[in-house]
Amino acid sequence: QVQLVESGGGVVQPGRSLRLSCAASGFTFSSYAMHWVRQAPGKGLEWVAVMSYDGKKQYYADSVKGRFSISRDNSKNTLSLQMNSLRADDTAVYYCAKGREWERGGWFDSWGQGTLVTVSS
Amino acid sequence: DIQMTQSPSSVSASVGDRVTITCRASQGISRWLAWYQQKPGKAPKLLIYAASSLQSGVPSRFSGSGSGTDFTLTISSLQPEDFATYYCQQANSYPLTFGGGTKVEIK
């Protein structure tokens, strides 16, 4: 079965950087686009970024564009999110999610358990 | 960006009730809409995609309908395990956006 396991969350000061990882198993990772979606404490869901199955295309939410960078290593079945210049409003649980119909946008048919990022001095 | 508006924001219902949640898109999205269920402390779970297609393993009491700008998620007979928050998501174009959520609570 599909398994997505995020790691790398923690407490970080404003302006600093953090790198999240997502280890995938149970499906052909290199065939699917992968997304990051976040959820601030007590709030709704916010899409963050997507990377195409082959790593050639990526899209970002305006709120993170220029600060966050999504990448993937298909040889290691791993998705990453490099987060720079972190702000307090980046505080959230970050989920990696497997995408379907990604070229138009699409939906998320499997999710990890999430990793909490807290940006605080 | 496409804005997604869900209503109601919360609903109180009893086991066995029929529950309907609506979602409106700020512009037409054809049938590019998904619905998710989220329980406290857990990741969201895909219920419905392409407006009305039931994700594998999801009980048939869940159904979706609509196209264009107006969509509906219906739970035909609410079960104890259905008390959760439900989100719609437009899948038509980037940036992908979600509705604000509907919390289904026990009456």
Side-chain angles (χ1 to χ4, degrees):
Chain A
Q1 74 282 17
V2 173
Q3 191 167 14
L4 300 169
V5 180
E6 301 93 338
S7 60
V11 180
V12 60
Q13 293 179 329
R16 303 299 291 265
S17 299
L18 202 63
R19 187 177 182 87
L20 306 182
S21 295
C22 172
S25 61
F27 65 103
T28 305
F29 182 73
S30 59
S31 295
Y32 292 92
M34 295 294 296
H35 299 256
W36 288 99
V37 178
R38 69 184 180 181
Q39 187 170 35
K43 302 297 184 182
L45 299 166
E46 180 187 17
W47 173 79
V48 173
V50 61
M51 175 157 271
S52 62
Y53 65 96
D54 58 1
K56 292 184 178 180
K57 290 186 179 179
Q58 57 268 160
Y59 300 105
Y60 296 92
D62 285 347
S63 58
V64 306
K65 201 173 294 183
R67 300 187 299 122
F68 289 13
S69 178
I70 189 171
S71 61
R72 65 190 295 160
D73 185 338
N74 284 347
S75 68
K76 296 182 178 178
N77 290 356
T78 301
L79 178 74
S80 297
L81 185 69
Q82 176 67 40
M83 304 185 295
N84 299 329
S85 303
L86 282 161
R87 311 186 303 222
D89 62 359
D90 294 317
T91 294
V93 174
Y94 286 74
Y95 296 100
C96 71
K98 175 173 166 279
R100 298 299 302 271
E101 306 293 345
W102 79 275
E103 290 202 35
R104 181 149 183 171
W107 38 81
F108 319 106
D109 66 1
S110 297
W111 299 64
Q113 86 288 350
T115 188
L116 176 62
V117 173
T118 302
V119 184
S120 174
S121 53
Chain B
D1 298 2
I2 299 174
Q3 310 303 316
M4 304 301 292
T5 303
Q6 270 182 254
S7 61
S9 57
S10 66
V11 57
S12 294
S14 301
V15 172
D17 284 353
R18 182 182 184 90
V19 173
T20 299
I21 299 168
T22 63
C23 181
R24 174 164 288 176
S26 60
Q27 63 189 72
I29 58 171
S30 185
R31 296 177 61 80
W32 290 90
L33 185 102
W35 290 97
Y36 302 87
Q37 176 194 67
Q38 187 179 33
K39 296 181 179 179
K42 300 294 186 182
K45 172 187 172 183
L46 178 65
L47 299 175
I48 301 283
Y49 62 95
S52 62
S53 295
L54 195 67
Q55 173 70 353
S56 176
V58 174
S60 59
R61 62 181 179 273
F62 291 93
S63 63
S65 64
S67 66
T69 60
D70 294 309
F71 301 88
T72 300
L73 174 70
T74 299
I75 309 172
S76 60
S77 178
L78 198 66
Q79 297 302 300
E81 60 268 32
D82 301 336
F83 292 96
T85 300
Y86 294 84
Y87 294 94
C88 62
Q89 175 237 327
Q90 66 83 11
N92 183 76
S93 60
Y94 291 105
L96 303 177
T97 48
F98 292 87
T102 296
K103 188 173 184 179
V104 177
E105 300 175 298
I106 301 172
K107 192 171 188 178

